[in-house]
Amino acid sequence: MMQFLQLSHFGKEAVAKRELPQGSALQTLVKNGVLTIEERIESRLRDYSDMELVDPQSIVLNEEQQQAFDCLQSNSHNIFLLHGVTSSGKTEVYIKMIDEVVRAGGQALFLLPEIALTAQIINRLRKYFGGKVGIYHSRFSASERTEVWHRTLSGEYQVLLGARSAIFLPFKDLKLIIVDEEHDSSYKQFEPSPRYHARDAALYLARQWEAKTVLGSATPSVETHFNALQERYGMATMTKRYGGFSLPEVTCVDMKEAHRQGLVKGHFSVALLQAIEEALSKKQQVILFQNRRGFSLRLECDDCHEVPHCVHCDVSLVYHKATNSLRCHYCGYSIPVPSECPACHSTHLKMTGVGTERIEEDLQILFPEACVARMDLDSTLQKNQYLEILSDFEHRRIDILVGTQMVTKGLDFEHVSVVGIINADNIINYPSFRSYERAFQQMTQVSGRAGRHNGGGKVIIQTYNPYHQVIANVMDNDYQSLYNEQIQERRVFRYPPFYRLIEITLKHRDAEVLNAAADWMAFHLRSAFATRVLGPEYPLVSRIRGLYLKQITLRFEKSEPVADAKRVIRQIGDDLTKQEGWSGVTVIYDVDPA
Ligand SMILES: [Zn+2]
Ligand SMILES: [Zn+2]
């Protein structure tokens, strides 16, 4: 009783049952009518309902934004592409559209490819819609997600912001879906199943609700742009930056030539170092993009050229200096750094290839006065770490931010004036039919972080291949040329959007069993689909976590009914695992692989 009086401020407030000593004393007090127990729902989410709001009607759109808004509001299509250069002010257009929906009592879903991005946009949405905004993503606890789920179902939340899984929320009256950064490959869920593309699933969801969909991007995917040109989607474009600021000036440094002239320090060209120095002297910030994490990518014996590999996967181990270990980026296997070569016992081990950790360390040496931070998978393992890094950067406690793809996406910081791409060749030479498209998107997106609020941004691309077409396209901000070239290739080499791909991956511990099973499956698929079947072949990484991998790809013309084909494929896959000795073969289907 004493404890209750204390906690309740002498009976003025209710006390949670769990805060009182459990046992017979409590039961007796309740039985004798001294205390009563009542059930209350306690929210785990902060309440924003009495926050002071800004009326979205007060947003003044510029001419381009207004034209885009009018176009998107027209009823000519249900799906629109909003193609606006980086920092053209797409968010204001979205907010105006959401406002129309909210005022009519409906719901709007706002999808972003990364959880990190939701953190930036949430404050902008709350400013206008306060307690009507719900946020949903996989980093929330199950109980938090349950609460969002209920509030979506009841219609209390009218604006839902989330990463890809938010499309599965139980909407009450969905009127609008915005898929921002629609080109982003993070929308595709690959592991574990279900293997779905959130953009494509969103289009399906919108059709069920007869809702409008806006696909927004500065670098639309080839598929989406194709659909817009075919007039299956409506299209609005914005070609100028909001506030009249200029797009950043993009230059490239020929690293071969720079080496020849002695204008390279470690992994940095003198041109990039000068740009960084200038930015720092003006108290401006810098973002550097390197698409590999770790310190150095390989530890190699200088005498016999042995490179330590993962024992479970067909990849070399990456050196991480922070933990002084060699680690596998596929399965997490790790060993201490060996002092001598495991093959020839030579002690001449050298490190080759450079990751974000190394870039971070070198910068600290080159710019001892500057505060350098890193954002990649390793530095954001804990729940709120990425938020802390972003907040530190926003409040200028960080001068230079080094990172992987994580730094390329959508982030909006006022004081970034220089962006450096450490190694463009790594980004371009990725073996996929989408590699040029992706490289263009990543480089254009990261460039777009520069000079957003005052113009005069500077981007420096380091490359050994300065005349590469994709680099030229990025430098000229020429999406159209990139698209024309890509669509041509896709047509000739039979890729999406002209063909649909189904990728089948088979896995087994034993390479011989796997080969036999894959050949069997390819044979049966060929008798059903003839030349539409490619493979089997080993994928780029042919063994992961102790399992060998083989892939078979099928391609179907857009006009062919894929539903029937899927049934036949599934049947062949099921038959395969019924064969003697093959029950352990795992068969994975991925329709429209990213
Ligand atoms: Zn050796
Ligand atoms: Zn491994």
Side-chain angles (χ1 to χ4, degrees):
M1 194 60 204
M2 279 307 292
Q3 199 149 351
F4 173 80
L5 287 173
Q6 232 170 36
L7 289 168
S8 66
H9 300 101
F10 295 94
K12 284 195 205 104
E13 290 158 28
V15 174
K17 194 178 157 205
R18 61 170 182 273
E19 289 177 32
L20 295 170
Q22 307 295 308
S24 58
L26 181 63
Q27 279 166 24
T28 311
L29 287 166
V30 172
K31 203 168 75 194
N32 295 338
V34 180
L35 296 179
T36 53
I37 295 186
E38 100 185 14
E39 256 185 48
R40 281 194 198 169
I41 294 174
E42 218 179 85
S43 176
R44 288 172 184 80
L45 306 170
R46 234 179 90 190
D47 188 19
Y48 292 92
S49 52
D50 51 2
M51 175 180 165
E52 209 165 308
L53 299 183
V54 177
D55 185 355
Q57 305 270 329
S58 67
I59 298 175
V60 181
L61 299 179
N62 66 27
E63 202 185 322
E64 269 196 333
Q65 285 174 318
Q66 188 64 45
Q67 277 169 4
F69 176 75
D70 293 342
C71 170
L72 301 178
Q73 286 296 100
S74 72
N75 284 321
S76 57
H77 288 91
N78 283 325
I79 308 170
F80 285 91
L81 164 62
L82 176 56
H83 183 181
V85 296
T86 54
S87 199
S88 55
K90 292 190 280 292
T91 311
E92 284 83 7
V93 178
Y94 297 151
I95 290 171
K96 285 273 195 188
M97 292 194 76
I98 293 170
D99 182 43
E100 300 284 323
V101 169
V102 168
R103 279 191 294 137
Q107 286 176 314
L109 168 63
F110 193 135
L111 288 177
L112 284 161
E114 291 277 331
I115 298 168
L117 296 178
T118 60
Q120 276 211 329
I121 207 102
I122 187 72
N123 296 327
R124 292 180 76 179
L125 289 177
R126 284 223 171 99
K127 192 168 113 190
Y128 298 106
F129 305 109
K132 296 191 189 99
V133 185
I135 178 165
Y136 185 88
H137 55 64
S138 56
R139 290 223 186 178
F140 276 179
S141 68
S143 43
E144 284 168 322
R145 276 186 280 165
T146 308
E147 221 178 309
V148 177
W149 200 88
H150 281 297
R151 291 190 191 195
T152 307
L153 187 60
S154 72
E156 183 189 338
Y157 281 156
Q158 286 184 274
V159 186
L160 274 304
L161 173 70
R164 60 182 181 233
S165 57
I167 55 166
F168 299 116
L169 282 167
F171 297 97
K172 190 175 173 225
D173 186 16
L174 185 62
K175 289 265 196 287
L176 170 69
I177 303 181
I178 291 161
V179 185
D180 198 21
E181 314 290 351
E182 68 83 28
H183 62 274
D184 199 297
S185 57
S186 301
Y187 277 125
K188 171 84 186 190
Q189 159 133 341
F190 182 66
E191 282 299 348
S193 86
R195 296 177 179 80
Y196 68 98
H197 197 298
R199 176 195 61 212
D200 301 342
L203 292 173
Y204 189 82
L205 179 69
R207 201 162 62 217
Q208 286 185 319
W209 280 98
E210 293 176 25
K212 191 167 268 190
T213 313
V214 178
L215 308 173
S217 178
T219 53
S221 64
V222 168
E223 283 91 334
T224 297
H225 197 248
F226 176 77
N227 282 327
L229 292 182
Q230 300 281 307
E231 291 181 24
R232 276 196 281 268
Y233 300 170
M235 176 158 65
T237 47
M238 300 198 291
T239 57
K240 295 186 201 81
R241 277 191 155 184
Y242 187 71
F245 300 121
S246 56
L247 279 163
E249 175 206 340
V250 185
T251 53
C252 92
V253 176
D254 179 349
M255 290 300 277
K256 217 189 289 173
E257 188 59 24
H259 270 292
R260 207 180 56 79
Q261 297 179 4
L263 295 174
V264 178
K265 263 189 196 168
H267 309 284
F268 308 97
S269 60
V270 168
L272 178 56
L273 291 176
Q274 277 170 353
I276 295 173
E277 202 162 290
E278 202 186 313
L280 294 178
S281 72
K282 291 187 199 153
K283 301 272 174 245
Q284 290 164 337
Q285 291 171 302
V286 177
I287 289 179
L288 296 179
F289 171 36
Q290 169 67 352
N291 69 343
R292 305 287 177 86
R293 62 197 167 92
F295 191 82
S296 71
L297 307 178
R298 277 174 307 278
L299 191 69
E300 191 180 320
C301 171
D302 219 1
D303 292 326
C304 76
H305 298 288
E306 165 84 6
V307 174
H309 272 66
C310 177
V311 293
H312 308 296
C313 312
D314 168 36
V315 291
S316 54
L317 296 170
V318 175
Y319 172 51
H320 286 253
K321 193 171 179 186
T323 49
N324 195 32
S325 61
L326 297 180
R327 282 196 352 233
C328 171
H329 283 183
Y330 282 81
C331 73
Y333 171 78
S334 122
I335 53 168
V337 177
S339 52
E340 56 177 47
C341 169
C344 75
H345 302 289
S346 157
T347 52
H348 298 136
L349 301 176
K350 66 169 187 204
M351 292 188 239
T352 56
V354 51
T356 44
E357 212 186 319
R358 176 71 188 267
I359 298 292
E360 182 193 16
E361 186 180 292
D362 287 0
L363 284 167
Q364 257 150 8
I365 295 165
L366 288 162
F367 301 99
E369 309 285 298
C371 180
V372 185
R374 170 165 58 92
M375 189 156 91
D376 58 24
L377 217 58
D378 302 307
S379 72
T380 56
L381 281 175
Q382 278 151 26
K383 191 178 173 186
N384 285 322
Q385 255 171 330
Y386 71 96
L387 286 178
E388 283 163 26
I389 297 173
L390 292 180
S391 163
D392 284 348
F393 195 61
E394 184 157 10
H395 294 104
R396 301 166 86 174
R397 291 188 285 266
I398 294 169
D399 302 307
I400 308 175
L401 183 65
V402 182
T404 51
Q405 285 89 311
M406 279 186 179
V407 301
T408 65
K409 300 177 179 182
L411 299 171
D412 185 9
F413 298 106
E414 208 180 323
H415 302 287
V416 175
S417 64
V418 170
V419 165
I421 297 170
I422 304 291
N423 184 340
D425 310 320
N426 261 347
I427 306 167
I428 294 169
N429 299 325
Y430 185 82
S432 153
F433 72 92
R434 291 188 207 276
S435 61
Y436 287 10
E437 179 189 358
R438 288 268 161 78
F440 177 83
Q441 286 162 351
Q442 285 186 359
M443 291 196 273
T444 303
Q445 290 289 341
V446 74
S447 301
R449 306 308 115 213
R452 294 170 75 85
H453 295 260
N454 31 37
K458 222 177 204 179
V459 179
I460 293 175
I461 303 176
Q462 300 191 149
T463 174
Y464 285 89
N465 204 349
Y467 300 108
H468 198 286
Q469 164 222 333
V470 173
I471 290 179
N473 293 155
V474 174
M475 286 170 60
D476 301 341
N477 188 36
D478 188 356
Y479 175 81
Q480 206 54 48
S481 296
L482 177 103
Y483 173 81
N484 292 342
E485 186 87 16
Q486 286 304 302
I487 201 77
Q488 190 67 18
E489 286 200 4
R490 301 279 184 93
R491 198 191 302 269
V492 173
F493 296 105
R494 299 194 292 163
Y495 280 111
F498 305 102
Y499 286 77
R500 288 193 76 176
L501 304 183
I502 299 180
E503 204 169 75
I504 304 171
T505 306
L506 292 93
K507 293 189 194 180
H508 196 271
R509 203 156 285 284
D510 184 326
E512 266 174 54
V513 171
L514 178 74
N515 280 333
D519 288 344
W520 184 93
M521 186 157 190
F523 173 80
H524 286 273
L525 286 170
R526 277 205 174 87
S527 52
F529 303 112
T531 55
R532 295 176 189 84
V533 184
L534 303 164
E537 51 194 80
Y538 286 110
L540 186 61
V541 177
S542 62
R543 194 168 73 110
I544 296 176
R545 294 173 197 272
L547 298 174
Y548 288 93
L549 274 67
K550 251 187 158 169
Q551 269 174 352
I552 301 170
T553 307
L554 286 101
R555 47 181 157 214
F556 295 95
E557 244 176 278
K558 255 290 142 59
S559 55
E560 292 179 294
V562 182
D564 291 337
K566 281 198 259 191
R567 249 193 312 279
V568 175
I569 294 167
R570 174 74 77 172
Q571 188 59 52
I572 294 173
D574 290 350
D575 287 347
L576 180 141
T577 49
K578 284 184 204 133
Q579 307 291 312
E580 206 192 316
W582 291 355
S583 61
V585 177
T586 309
V587 186
I588 292 168
Y589 306 93
D590 189 8
V591 179
D592 301 330

